[in-house]
């Protein structure tokens, strides 16, 4: 039976819920009593004082499984459930005693000591667009339970997590702070294959922070010459000619004033010049995979997702703060939105691809001594229904899902939270997606209660969640 909202205190952090209620009351023009406010403030301060210091991570690789991955077929199997719930896959033991995951994830199972699982992620909304917006920005849409807004990003939107990092992290003159591989976009069917629609989707942009914090979108095949068309030099422009153009631009820029707008313009121009000239890190082009050994490329996989994860490792080496892998246009099947043929899609494409690419990323970063400074977060906008539908698929389910976190100060080998016997609802340690956001900010050394301002200079806290201390 679906838990009553008041019943959420049974399995969630009551202090956090009261804080959120208090925030809502403040908006409505009322407030908590001074006694309650003092108690909650003290509890928050005591908890923060006892957690490890942040700023271990320098980069985040967000592996966002767009469409909604089926948690009960991946990280939270229920082999004792009825046939219409459990599906055909069996759980397999991992390197961590007591932790089991799907048998189709053998490489991840071998390296389970490197990551932790949350099996109690929950948000009571099962609609794609508002949940994509919420899980990527931490904010609700105007009508979260009825919204099907497929407009492209608006300047009034809340910013993507990557745009917030681009705003708050120390400046770089080489690479943008937020790189999306690819941008968040709608998929549409064309001749039996699913292609990214031309118009991106809300939740993926910089919103009210402004265009200078937008993602650099790599919408082509990673490593290919046309992966970023806007940064490809025309064939007739040689390196020498490009250098002369750069010098001319520098001369023309002397006429600019010292205003803030001029400074932003100058920074963007410098960055564009560097990127168009093929940005380098440690003497190698950042966006090319040609110099990677054949064995490394083979380990990640020749499929698009594997190439994406390999590029993510290169960008993490260059300490790009947010590398957002928005799983789209990676497969012939309809990504993770498996309303039909769920098990066929998982077995033939999705799980082997995820297992290979994600485990390779963790292995590679660990071998290079970079896993501790790179936080990996793998989740989708929601999970899938416990009951299998008539098309051998699972439908949208926001009440329960799973997430995987690794590196960047997060301890490995932990299973946090538990779902009921059909993976329908959390029964312990409920985690809201914004709690994962708060944990990410903490690992980067950013106070989750930091304030940013919109175009009207109105203050907005960057996060409404709590740091998940159990993982630190």
């Amino acid at each position: 039976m679906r838990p009553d909202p008041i019943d959420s205190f049974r399995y969630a952090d009551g202090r956090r819920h009261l804080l959120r209620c208090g925030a809502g009351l403040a908006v409505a023009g009322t407030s908590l009593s001074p006694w309650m406010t003092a108690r909650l403030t003290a509890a928050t301060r005591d908890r923060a004082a006892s957690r490890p210091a942040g700023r271990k991570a320098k980069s985040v690789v967000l592996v966002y499984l767009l469409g909604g991955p089926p948690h009960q077929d991946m990280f939270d199997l229920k082999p004792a459930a009825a046939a219409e719930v459990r599906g055909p896959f069996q759980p397999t033991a991992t390197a961590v005693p007591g932790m089991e995951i799907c048998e189709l994830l053998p490489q991840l199972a071998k390296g389970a000591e490197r990551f932790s699982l949350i099996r109690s992620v929950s948000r009571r909304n099962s609609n794609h667009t508002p949940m994509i917006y919420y899980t990527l920005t931490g904010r609700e849409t105007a009508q979260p339970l009825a919204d099907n807004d497929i407009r492209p990003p608006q300047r009034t939107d809340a910013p993507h997590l990557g745009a917030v990092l681009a705003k708050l992290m120390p400046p770089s003159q080489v690479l943008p702070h937020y790189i999306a591989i690819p941008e968040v976009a709608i998929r549409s069917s064309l001749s039996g294959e699913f292609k990214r629609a031309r118009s991106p989707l809300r939740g993926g942009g910089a919103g009210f922070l402004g265009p200078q914090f937008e993602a650099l979108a790599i919408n082509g095949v990673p490593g290919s010459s046309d992966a970023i068309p806007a940064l490809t030099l025309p064939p007739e422009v040689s390196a020498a000619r490009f250098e002369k153009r750069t010098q001319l631009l520098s001369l023309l820029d002397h006429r600019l004033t010292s205003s803030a707008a001029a400074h932003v313009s100058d920074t963007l121009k410098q960055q564009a010049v560097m990127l168009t000239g093929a940005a380098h890190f440690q003497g190698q082009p950042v966006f090319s995979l040609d110099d990677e050994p054949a064995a490394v490329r083979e380990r990640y996989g020749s499929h698009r997702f594997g190439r994406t994860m390999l590029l993510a490792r290169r960008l993490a080496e260059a300490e790009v703060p947010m590398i957002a892998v928005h799983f789209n246009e990676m497969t012939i099947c309809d990504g993770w939105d498996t309303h039909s043929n769920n098990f066929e899609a998982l077995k033939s494409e999705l799980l082997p691809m995820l297992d290979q690419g994600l485990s390779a990323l963790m292995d590679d970063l660990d071998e290079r001594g970079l896993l501790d400074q790179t936080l990996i977060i793998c989740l989708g906008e929601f999970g899938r229904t416990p009951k299998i539908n008539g098309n051998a698929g699972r439908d949208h389910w926001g009440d329960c899902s799973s997430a995987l976190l690794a590196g960047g100060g997060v301890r490995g080998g932990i299973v946090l939270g538990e779902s009921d016997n059909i993976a329908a609802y959390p029964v312990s340690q409920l985690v809201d997606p914004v709690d994962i956001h708060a944990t990410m900010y903490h690992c980067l050394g950013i106070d989750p209660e930091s304030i940013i301002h919109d175009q009207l200079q109105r203050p907005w806290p960057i996060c409404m969640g709590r740091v998940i201390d159990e993982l630190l």
Side-chain angles (χ1 to χ4, degrees):
M1 185 176 72
R2 186 186 182 104
D4 184 87
I6 300 300
D7 237 12
S8 62
F9 285 98
R10 284 190 300 109
Y11 52 83
D13 178 354
R15 179 193 57 80
R16 174 168 53 89
H17 279 258
L18 283 172
L19 284 170
R20 286 180 180 151
C21 290
L25 289 170
V27 171
T30 60
S31 62
L32 298 174
S33 70
W35 174 84
M36 180 64 77
T37 301
R39 287 290 300 273
L40 292 175
T41 301
T44 303
R45 184 173 58 247
D46 292 345
R47 187 163 186 166
S50 65
R51 80 172 55 110
R55 194 53 179 134
K56 192 167 190 179
K58 297 180 180 179
S59 299
V60 176
V61 179
L62 174 63
V63 183
Y64 191 74
L65 306 183
L66 195 65
H71 54 293
Q72 58 280 91
D73 300 317
M74 299 171 63
F75 299 127
D76 192 11
L77 279 72
K78 302 293 181 180
E84 64 268 23
V85 170
R86 68 173 181 262
F89 306 144
Q90 297 298 312
T92 188
T94 70
V96 175
M99 180 195 288
E100 293 184 332
I101 60 176
C102 180
E103 61 183 329
L104 298 179
L105 300 170
Q107 296 301 319
L108 285 172
K110 290 179 183 177
E113 74 282 350
R114 294 193 179 109
F115 63 81
S116 287
L117 295 176
I118 306 173
R119 289 178 173 163
S120 53
V121 181
S122 183
R123 187 75 181 177
R124 290 183 180 162
N125 191 327
S126 300
N127 297 319
H128 278 303
T129 49
M131 282 303 291
I132 290 170
Y133 191 85
Y134 184 76
T135 51
L136 292 178
T137 71
R139 303 289 174 182
E140 298 275 20
T141 57
Q143 296 180 303
L145 295 179
D147 199 353
N148 190 30
D149 185 356
I150 57 173
R151 291 177 298 160
Q154 309 293 303
R155 195 48 68 201
T156 53
D157 288 344
H160 184 288
L161 299 169
V164 176
L165 295 187
K167 169 75 173 178
L168 298 180
M169 295 289 278
S172 167
Q173 293 296 319
V174 180
L175 290 170
H177 276 25
Y178 169 26
I179 296 180
I181 327 173
E183 64 188 329
V184 182
I186 308 165
R187 292 160 60 96
S188 57
S189 181
L190 178 64
S191 302
E193 296 186 5
F194 284 85
K195 299 292 184 181
R196 183 183 57 80
R198 292 297 178 187
S199 179
L201 191 63
R202 292 180 67 202
F208 62 65
L209 287 181
Q212 67 267 40
F213 301 113
E214 292 287 356
L216 172 65
I218 302 177
N219 291 330
V221 177
S224 65
S225 59
D226 60 349
I228 319 173
L231 300 183
T232 303
L233 287 176
E236 67 274 13
V237 179
S238 65
R241 187 177 177 187
F242 179 75
E243 179 62 28
K244 288 181 179 179
R245 287 184 174 184
T246 304
Q247 293 172 359
L248 178 60
L249 178 65
S250 179
L251 290 173
L252 292 174
D253 279 346
H254 282 304
R255 61 184 172 81
L256 290 175
T257 68
S258 59
S259 68
H263 176 71
V264 169
S265 174
D266 187 49
T267 300
L268 291 174
K269 283 180 182 178
Q270 290 180 35
Q271 195 170 73
V273 167
M274 292 179 185
L275 290 171
T276 307
H280 284 63
F281 177 73
Q282 295 183 349
Q284 298 295 336
V286 173
F287 298 109
S288 172
L289 304 179
D290 293 342
D291 61 313
E292 292 288 342
V296 172
R297 285 180 288 182
E298 183 179 349
R299 172 69 181 91
Y300 278 88
S302 58
H303 41 76
R304 184 164 179 162
F305 181 68
R307 294 174 66 89
T308 298
M309 298 304 278
L310 178 52
L311 179 57
R313 188 222 78 206
R314 294 174 69 92
L315 294 173
E317 278 186 298
E319 299 182 3
V320 172
M322 172 59 77
I323 305 116
V325 178
H326 302 121
F327 195 105
N328 203 357
E329 212 174 345
M330 304 284 186
T331 61
I332 301 300
C333 71
D334 191 16
W336 297 93
D337 198 19
T338 52
H339 290 285
S340 61
N341 300 318
N342 174 71
F343 306 104
E344 178 184 343
L346 291 173
K347 186 174 182 178
S348 64
E349 284 193 289
L350 294 168
L351 294 188
M353 190 179 291
L354 180 70
D355 185 52
Q356 182 177 20
L358 187 55
S359 65
L361 177 65
M362 282 191 264
D363 290 347
D364 204 358
L365 288 171
D366 199 16
E367 291 168 5
R368 294 167 183 268
L370 297 173
L371 187 58
D372 281 348
Q373 69 179 48
T374 308
L375 177 63
I376 300 170
I377 302 173
C378 180
L379 79 168
E381 64 264 40
F382 42 55
R384 312 299 295 188
T385 51
K387 188 174 181 179
I388 301 166
N389 64 29
N391 295 315
R394 298 188 190 270
D395 301 315
H396 306 167
W397 192 254
D399 293 85
C400 191
S401 63
S402 296
L404 178 153
L405 280 76
V410 169
R411 291 188 293 146
I414 296 172
V415 177
L416 180 68
E418 180 185 0
S419 65
D420 61 20
N421 59 0
I422 59 171
Y425 303 101
V427 296
S428 69
Q429 296 176 291
L430 183 146
V431 171
D432 191 284
V434 295
D435 299 334
I436 298 175
H437 299 174
T439 306
M440 177 199 78
Y441 286 125
H442 172 76
C443 289
L444 289 164
I446 297 172
D447 183 352
E449 297 181 6
S450 298
I451 299 296
I452 52 177
H453 294 82
D454 63 17
Q455 294 173 313
L456 298 177
Q457 294 306 304
R458 293 174 299 188
W460 294 83
I462 61 172
C463 184
M464 298 297 290
R466 71 167 181 92
V467 177
I468 307 172
D469 294 297
E470 297 91 336
L471 298 182
L472 303 176

